[in-house]
């Protein structure tokens, strides 16, 4: 058996490319590995030199056109395949997993006889046994995929449905036939085939988001068939727009067991999310070059909840290149920098282009010095890609003018371009635009990629950055974090887990279905549905995470008194109607009840509800059995539901699913509030408004353990040291604030009235001064568990601040654990 291929080291600006050779269908995979330079700047324009001579005298060419492969590695396997490489005149091999073997075999079918194809594939082109090299190359993956001529996506081998699905895509894109296909009983098999294709494992992997999003062009391969990414995206968009209209077709289909909801919730599929996000992550040129990253890291994280990562760290690490305000960093510092390089003058050294007597060279080498690769170089010259004029020896670095030396640099073309300065005379709108522009002009924040770091520290680093930047707490209400590994401790309650996401697959089912209501906060960093905390921002603005605690400022609205059963499976309990006080027809449904059922928002949660929702609600309530529950699913699927009622019920399901309807105590003489809370909420739990959080939240008071007090004390001392250089103006501001505007309630450390009256318009304070201004020491026995977000009717748009003043609810610092 041949020996395994021996990799040699790469410079920080270099990559390897696999030159895959043509072969018979059953022949072993064979190819060459070559080293190229992938420059930070985009491809050289005409008349610019292609080669770069290093201080060692070795000329290195820029990478030629190549494809980049995107695929799923697959699970751990016992049987490995291999690709053969010739090295030092002997056949070597690189072990590859079965799925990659199948992908390369498929791509080889498109290579002309005796031809080759340049491909970048991670498990072959990166030395997987060299951790520093892996860290280095991961930093370059965004550039590698965006520079590729095409991204080839391997979905897997063909099955009974895949061919039908890809052929159906061509039919869907003929818009003149689309309405016919959507109402044709015989089309259910094709719709189901497309649905199955969209559930291939590739669509759910987190790493592939950047690979397909950065692609200039992309082709999806499944067995022997292929479809362009653009055509696939259009077909998915059409499917998502009409999938609910297909339910009558499946209900009439014996083949699909007359199941109207056979497809489940198509909008929950990773393929749908991938199609949506690839259109919105970047601003690209007509040629597909990334000019600007659009979304913040917080927005990207909150958007990609449907995509899985085998390692919890990759929840953050795999998408760092997608955000405009963050970038990956590495402990191997050279991975992010380039050594001194020397441009070769136009008189480039001539290469030896003698033909090789062997089929392929198998040694890894710089491509420019590989005589066996003369055919590829010759084709580049014939295309005018670079000039061959010049001498026959490499130019020593010492003889090259300093003007041709490239200094170490970190900026890439994926960074936002620098904008031209504008006139100093700006209107209010101009200043708003300038403020928006400033986030793109700022240097991205470097996040250390270190898989040895405790997962809580990784998540804490992200939250500290995201919340400091957005000044918002909304991210603690939106599920985004995976469950920690078995040997890891539980995460704090204020890091929401993906287990509380709205959709999941039930045991034995291939389709997604709703298991929880949608998040009320929308998409943090993108879409804000409510404004319960008014114009306030997170307070304190720095140092709000201490140990495993999150410090948040806010006030209590009320406490839960009466609870009714949760709306399990979207079934509205009859007790909800009793709690709302509706006696039945002909009386109108109480305004606060039907508005609570839809979260006082219209379809999608982005607009106020239409007036006809009141009529639709009454129609639905009249459909229930006498004093019985309201099964929203049955009404939708079997109740011959009018379109207006259908729209209303879909919105109701997205708001009430698995939530409880409660009535509050009405503390301090206030009126009782009607609210939707998480099913985990209990009687006596507090409903609070937190600064910087767009929706009310439910908190549960408890007592601190001694270990937690020690952690808080240690974290506080560390923060004090860090912030010891705070400006005197800050201190003066807080001194004035303390003397003139802060009133204390000097209760014992166990009292519930540990409050401080801090003006809502004062948001920028030193966290140490803020701590000192609070009457409650950080060693307080009280701490709070974050139960979740909630909807409180009449308190979603800032009304809580008037409620606080009217009923004397003072501000306090909540320690969330």
């Amino acid at each position: 058996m041949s020996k395994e291929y021996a990799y040699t080291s790469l410079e920080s600006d270099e990559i390897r490319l696999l030159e895959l050779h043509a072969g018979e269908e059953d022949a072993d995979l064979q190819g060459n590995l070559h080293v190229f330079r992938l420059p930070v700047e985009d491809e050289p324009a005409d008349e610019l030199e292609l080669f770069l001579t290093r201080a060692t005298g070795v000329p290195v060419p820029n990478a030629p056109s190549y494809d980049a492969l995107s695929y799923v590695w697959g699970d751990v396997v016992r049987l490995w395949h291999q690709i053969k490489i010739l090295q030092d005149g002997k056949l070597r091999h690189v072990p590859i997993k079965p799925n990659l073997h199948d992908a390369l075999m498929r791509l080889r079918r498109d290579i002309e006889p005796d031809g080759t194809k340049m491909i970048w594939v991670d498990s072959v082109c990166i030395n997987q046994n060299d951790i520093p090299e892996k860290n280095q190359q991961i930093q370059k993956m965004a550039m590698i995929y965006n520079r590729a001529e095409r991204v080839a996506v391997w979905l897997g081998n063909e099955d009974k449905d895949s061919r039908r699905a890809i052929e159906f895509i061509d039919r869907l894109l003929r818009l003149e036939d689309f309405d016919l296909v959507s109402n044709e009983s015989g089309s259910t098999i094709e719709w189901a085939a497309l649905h199955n294709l969209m559930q291939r494992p590739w669509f759910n992997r987190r790493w592939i988001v950047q690979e397909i999003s950065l692609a200039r062009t992309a082709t999806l391969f499944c067995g022997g068939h292929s479809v362009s990414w653009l055509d696939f995206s259009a077909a998915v968009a059409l499917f998502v727009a009409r999938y609910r209209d297909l339910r009558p077709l499946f209900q009439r289909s014996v083949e699909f067991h007359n199941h109207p909801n056979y497809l489940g919730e198509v909008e929950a599929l990773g393929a749908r999310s991938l199609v949506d996000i690839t259109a919105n992550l970047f601003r690209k040129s007509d040629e597909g070059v990334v000019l600007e990253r659009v979304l913040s890291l917080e927005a990207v994280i909150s958007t990609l909840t449907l995509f899985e990562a085998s390692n919890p760290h990759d929840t953050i690490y795999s998408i760092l290149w997608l955000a405009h305000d963050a970038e990956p960093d590495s402990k191997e510092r050279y991975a992010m920098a380039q050594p001194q390089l020397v441009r070769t003058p136009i008189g480039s050294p001539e290469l030896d282009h003698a033909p090789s007597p062997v089929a392929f060279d198998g040694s890894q080498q710089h491509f420019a010095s590989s005589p066996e690769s003369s055919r590829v170089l010759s084709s580049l010259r014939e295309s005018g890609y670079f000039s061959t004029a010049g001498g026959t020896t490499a130019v020593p670095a010492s003889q090259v003018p300093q003007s041709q030396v490239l200094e170490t640099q970190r900026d890439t073309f994926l960074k936002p371009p620098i904008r031209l300065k504008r006139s100093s005379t700006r209107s209010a709108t101009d200043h708003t635009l300038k403020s928006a522009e400033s986030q793109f002009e700022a240097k991205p924040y470097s996040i250390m990629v270190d898989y040895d770091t405790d997962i809580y520290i990784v998540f804490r680093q992200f939250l500290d950055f995201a919340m400091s930047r957005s000044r918002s707490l909304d991210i603690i209400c939106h599920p985004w974090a995976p469950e920690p590994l078995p040997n890891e401790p539980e995460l704090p309650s204020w890091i929401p887990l993906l287990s509380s996401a709205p959709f999941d697959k039930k045991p034995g089912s291939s389709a997604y279905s709703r298991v929880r209501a949608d998040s009320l906060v929308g998409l943090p960093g993108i879409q804000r549905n409510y404004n319960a905390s008014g114009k306030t921002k997170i307070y304190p603005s720095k140092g709000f995470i201490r140990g495993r605690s999150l410090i948040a400022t806010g006030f209590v609205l009320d406490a839960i008194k009466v609870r009714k059963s949760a709306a399990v499976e979207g079934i509205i309990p009859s007790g909800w109607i009793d709690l709302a006080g509706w006696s039945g027809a002909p009386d109108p449904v109480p305004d606060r009840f039907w508005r609570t059922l839809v979260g006082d928002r219209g379809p999608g949660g982005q607009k106020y509800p239409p007036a006809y929702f009141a009529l639709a609600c009454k129609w639905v309530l009249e459909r229930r059995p006498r004093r019985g529950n309201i099964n929203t699913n049955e009404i939708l699927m079997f109740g011959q539901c009018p379109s207006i009622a259908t729209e209303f019920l879909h919105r109701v399901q997205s708001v009430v699913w698995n939530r409880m309807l409660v009535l509050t105590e009405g503390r301090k003489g206030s009126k009782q509030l009607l609210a939707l809370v998480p099913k985990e909420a209990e009687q006596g739990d507090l409903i609070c408004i937190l600064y910087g959080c767009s929706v009310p939240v439910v908190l549960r008071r408890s007592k601190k353990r001694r270990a937690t007090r020690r952690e808080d004390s240690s974290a506080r001392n560390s923060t004090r040291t860090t912030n010891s250089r705070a400006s005197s103006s800050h201190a003066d501001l807080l001194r004035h604030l303390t003397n003139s505007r802060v009133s204390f309630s000097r209760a014992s450390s166990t009292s519930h009235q540990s409050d401080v009256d801090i003006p809502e318009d004062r948001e920028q304070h030193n966290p140490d001064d803020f701590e000192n201004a609070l009457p409650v020491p950080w060693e307080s026995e009280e701490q709070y568990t974050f139960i979740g977000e909630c909807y409180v009717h009449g308190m979603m748009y800032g009304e809580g601040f008037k409620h606080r003043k009217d009923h004397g609810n003072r501000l306090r610092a909540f320690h969330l654990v």
Side-chain angles (χ1 to χ4, degrees):
M1 183 176 178
S2 63
K3 292 183 178 180
E4 191 168 331
Y5 183 82
Y7 289 89
T8 58
S9 61
L10 292 175
E11 297 289 347
S12 61
D13 65 330
E14 292 176 344
I15 63 170
R16 298 183 189 91
L17 290 180
L18 170 66
E19 185 182 10
L20 183 63
H21 288 257
E24 298 295 328
E25 184 174 352
D26 297 329
D28 291 340
L29 290 169
Q30 293 185 349
N32 284 21
L33 276 176
H34 302 290
V35 175
F36 294 97
R37 178 174 176 260
L38 195 68
V40 169
E41 67 276 7
D42 206 352
E43 294 91 341
D46 293 340
E47 306 300 329
L48 292 183
E49 61 273 35
L50 176 70
F51 288 95
L52 187 106
T53 302
R54 301 194 182 278
T56 59
V58 178
V60 184
N62 284 2
S65 296
Y66 63 92
D67 283 358
L69 181 63
S70 178
Y71 68 106
V72 175
W73 276 48
D75 298 328
V76 176
V77 295
R78 293 183 178 180
L79 179 63
W80 287 67
H81 295 265
Q82 62 183 28
I83 180 171
K84 294 181 179 179
I85 305 289
L86 191 69
Q87 185 173 36
D88 299 329
K90 297 179 181 180
L91 278 176
R92 308 291 188 189
H93 73 273
V94 175
I96 57 177
K97 287 189 173 183
N99 194 45
L100 175 56
H101 176 268
D102 295 341
L104 293 177
M105 294 289 282
R106 172 61 183 88
L107 295 180
R108 189 175 68 174
R109 290 170 52 181
D110 295 338
I111 300 175
E112 295 292 332
D114 300 324
T116 62
K117 178 67 178 177
M118 286 290 186
I119 302 174
W120 187 87
V121 50
D122 54 2
S123 67
V124 175
C125 296
I126 299 176
N127 182 1
Q128 299 299 319
N129 296 320
D130 186 342
I131 300 302
E133 179 179 306
K134 286 178 66 175
N135 289 337
Q136 179 198 62
Q137 291 290 297
I138 285 175
Q139 316 304 320
K140 304 175 74 65
M141 284 181 66
M143 192 185 301
I144 289 170
Y145 278 95
N146 188 244
R147 296 286 178 84
E149 182 179 27
R150 178 187 69 170
V151 171
V153 175
W154 175 245
L155 298 180
N157 289 318
E158 186 175 341
D159 62 20
K160 62 183 180 66
D161 286 331
S162 56
R163 178 176 181 177
R164 179 183 286 119
I166 291 176
E167 291 175 348
F168 183 51
I169 289 175
D170 291 335
R171 186 181 176 196
L172 276 183
L173 298 184
R174 296 194 294 268
L175 293 184
E176 61 272 15
D177 297 333
F178 179 68
D179 289 334
L180 177 64
V181 173
S182 301
N183 295 282
E184 190 177 71
S185 297
S187 66
T188 51
I189 295 178
E190 295 170 307
W191 287 111
L194 178 57
H195 182 260
N196 290 340
L197 184 69
M198 291 167 62
Q199 295 193 82
R200 292 274 178 145
W202 181 85
F203 291 106
N204 294 321
R205 304 305 295 168
R206 204 169 183 87
W207 274 103
I208 62 92
V209 177
Q210 72 165 345
E211 297 168 6
I212 192 65
S213 299
L214 290 163
R216 300 188 181 191
T217 61
T219 303
L220 276 59
F221 293 88
C222 188
H225 304 278
S226 63
V227 61
S228 75
W229 173 252
L230 289 178
D231 286 351
F232 177 81
S233 298
V236 168
L238 291 170
F239 189 11
V240 173
R242 288 293 183 89
Y243 81 93
R244 283 176 174 157
D245 297 337
L246 302 176
R247 286 173 174 170
L249 300 183
F250 283 88
Q251 187 174 354
R252 295 193 298 267
S253 174
V254 176
E255 184 172 359
F256 295 99
H257 309 290
N258 303 106
H259 194 332
N261 202 31
Y262 178 84
L263 299 175
E265 299 294 337
V266 175
E267 64 185 19
L269 295 177
R272 191 278 308 171
S273 182
L274 194 61
V275 166
D276 285 350
I277 199 167
T278 51
N280 298 297
L281 272 175
F282 304 110
R283 184 171 64 84
K284 296 182 179 180
S285 69
D286 292 339
E287 294 76 26
V289 178
V290 172
L291 302 176
E292 190 170 78
R293 294 176 285 180
V294 175
L295 300 181
S296 67
L297 182 61
E298 181 181 29
V300 175
I301 289 290
S302 62
T303 303
L304 299 182
T305 55
L306 296 176
F307 297 92
E308 304 165 354
S310 56
N311 190 319
H313 294 72
D314 286 332
T315 303
I316 308 297
Y317 295 162
S318 65
I319 47 86
L320 288 177
W321 272 122
L322 303 180
H324 70 71
D325 56 354
E327 64 183 6
D329 203 348
S330 171
K331 288 191 295 185
E332 287 75 26
R333 296 303 303 169
Y334 72 86
M336 294 299 294
Q338 296 188 40
Q340 272 204 343
L341 305 175
V342 180
R343 287 196 182 279
T344 301
I346 294 299
S348 303
E350 194 69 50
L351 301 179
D352 179 7
H353 302 300
S356 171
V358 295
F360 59 95
D361 173 48
S363 60
Q364 175 194 308
Q365 55 189 310
H366 289 82
F367 193 78
S369 59
S370 169
E372 288 73 25
S373 302
S374 59
R375 176 179 45 75
V376 178
L377 289 171
S378 298
S379 65
L380 290 173
R381 287 192 173 88
E382 290 171 2
S383 66
Y385 195 59
F386 59 90
S387 171
T388 60
T392 58
T393 59
V395 180
S398 59
Q399 298 180 17
V400 180
Q402 286 298 311
S403 61
Q404 293 176 345
V405 175
L406 298 180
E407 297 297 338
T408 297
Q409 54 181 304
R410 293 181 61 181
D411 288 342
T412 75
F413 73 101
L414 289 172
K415 301 275 185 72
I418 297 176
R419 289 167 171 74
L420 297 176
K421 291 185 178 180
R422 302 188 182 188
S423 169
S424 58
T425 304
R426 301 173 68 97
S427 65
T429 302
D430 291 333
H431 282 291
T432 301
L433 292 173
K434 183 63 179 177
S435 176
E437 291 168 3
S438 64
Q439 64 178 308
F440 294 103
E441 295 175 1
K443 190 177 184 63
Y445 177 77
S446 293
I447 292 181
M448 187 68 66
V449 175
D450 184 1
Y451 287 90
D452 293 328
T453 302
D454 179 87
I455 192 60
Y456 167 70
I457 301 300
V458 175
F459 290 169
R460 168 182 168 161
Q461 183 184 24
F462 156 66
L463 288 171
D464 191 29
F465 163 71
M467 292 191 290
S468 294
R469 184 187 177 282
S470 67
R471 306 291 308 282
S472 168
L473 284 174
D474 282 359
I475 192 67
I476 72 172
C477 298
H478 187 87
W480 61 269
E483 296 281 351
L485 297 174
N487 58 336
E488 296 271 5
E490 289 187 2
L491 295 172
S493 64
W494 45 273
I495 298 182
L497 300 177
L498 284 171
S499 56
S500 59
F503 299 101
D504 200 359
K505 288 183 179 179
K506 294 182 178 179
S509 174
S510 62
Y512 280 90
S513 57
R514 183 176 288 281
V515 293
R516 282 180 175 264
D518 291 345
S519 175
L520 293 169
V521 296
L523 293 175
I526 300 178
Q527 168 192 329
R528 196 177 195 186
N529 295 335
Y530 301 102
N531 195 27
S533 61
K535 297 181 179 180
T536 63
K537 306 297 182 183
I538 185 174
Y539 190 94
S541 60
K542 295 180 181 179
F544 42 79
I545 300 179
R546 302 193 176 186
R548 295 178 65 88
S549 298
L550 172 67
I551 314 300
T553 299
F555 56 89
V556 175
L557 273 178
D558 211 333
I560 296 174
K561 181 179 181 180
V562 180
R563 300 185 310 156
K564 294 298 180 179
S565 301
V568 179
E569 297 292 325
I571 299 174
I572 300 175
S574 60
W576 286 30
I577 300 173
D578 298 334
L579 190 65
W582 186 56
S583 56
D587 293 341
V589 179
D591 192 70
R592 71 170 184 166
F593 182 48
W594 73 259
R595 287 185 182 275
T596 296
L597 291 179
V598 296
D600 203 21
R601 308 298 281 175
Q606 299 182 33
K607 296 180 179 179
Y608 290 106
Y612 56 74
F613 267 15
L615 181 63
C617 182
K618 185 176 181 181
W619 184 91
V620 169
L621 295 181
E622 290 173 346
R623 304 275 84 72
R624 69 170 179 144
R626 181 175 178 82
R627 307 296 296 175
N629 300 332
I630 302 169
N631 192 322
T632 57
N633 277 322
E634 286 188 359
I635 296 175
L636 281 170
M637 295 182 188
F638 307 108
Q640 297 181 339
C641 197
S643 60
I644 295 301
T646 297
E647 180 182 311
F648 170 76
L649 283 175
H650 283 312
R651 175 59 187 165
V652 168
Q653 288 185 337
S654 70
V655 174
V656 308
W657 202 288
N658 259 12
R659 286 192 172 119
M660 292 192 305
L661 188 70
V662 302
L663 203 62
T664 65
E665 295 177 357
R667 288 184 169 186
K668 298 185 178 182
S670 65
K671 67 178 182 179
Q672 290 182 295
L673 302 173
L674 193 66
L676 285 171
V677 301
K679 68 174 184 178
E680 297 80 8
E682 299 176 356
Q683 184 177 5
D685 285 347
L686 303 177
I687 295 179
C688 306
I689 299 290
L690 300 181
Y691 275 23
C693 189
S694 64
V695 298
V697 299
V698 178
L699 303 181
R700 182 173 301 153
R701 184 187 293 112
S702 60
K703 292 203 173 186
K704 286 191 177 182
R705 296 177 295 106
R706 290 183 179 180
T708 305
R709 292 197 294 271
R710 287 195 299 268
E711 290 171 4
D712 286 351
S713 177
S714 175
R716 182 176 68 258
N717 292 336
S718 174
T719 305
R720 281 175 172 167
T721 301
T722 303
N723 296 310
S724 61
R725 291 171 294 180
S727 66
S728 59
S729 59
H730 240 143
D732 292 341
L733 172 62
L734 262 295
R735 197 175 299 112
H736 170 73
L737 180 63
T738 303
N739 292 336
S740 61
R741 299 291 298 276
V742 179
S743 60
F744 295 95
S745 175
R746 292 292 185 185
S748 66
S749 63
T750 59
S751 170
H752 296 168
Q753 298 299 322
S754 303
D755 305 321
V756 56
D757 188 9
I758 301 174
E760 295 156 16
D761 58 341
R762 301 298 181 97
E763 300 168 1
Q764 302 287 345
H765 304 306
N766 184 304
D768 287 336
D769 290 331
F770 173 78
E771 174 187 334
N772 294 332
L774 286 173
V776 182
W778 292 109
E779 294 77 9
S780 169
E781 295 292 326
E782 290 184 354
Q783 63 184 15
Y784 298 82
T785 300
F786 182 81
I787 305 301
E789 60 181 357
C790 63
Y791 173 87
V792 183
H793 187 68
M795 295 291 162
M796 301 303 291
Y797 305 102
E799 303 95 330
F801 289 97
K802 183 177 185 302
H803 184 280
R804 179 178 75 85
K805 292 178 180 178
D806 290 346
H807 301 285
N809 295 326
R810 309 291 289 279
L811 291 182
R812 67 179 67 185
F814 296 97
H815 292 231
L816 309 185
V817 295

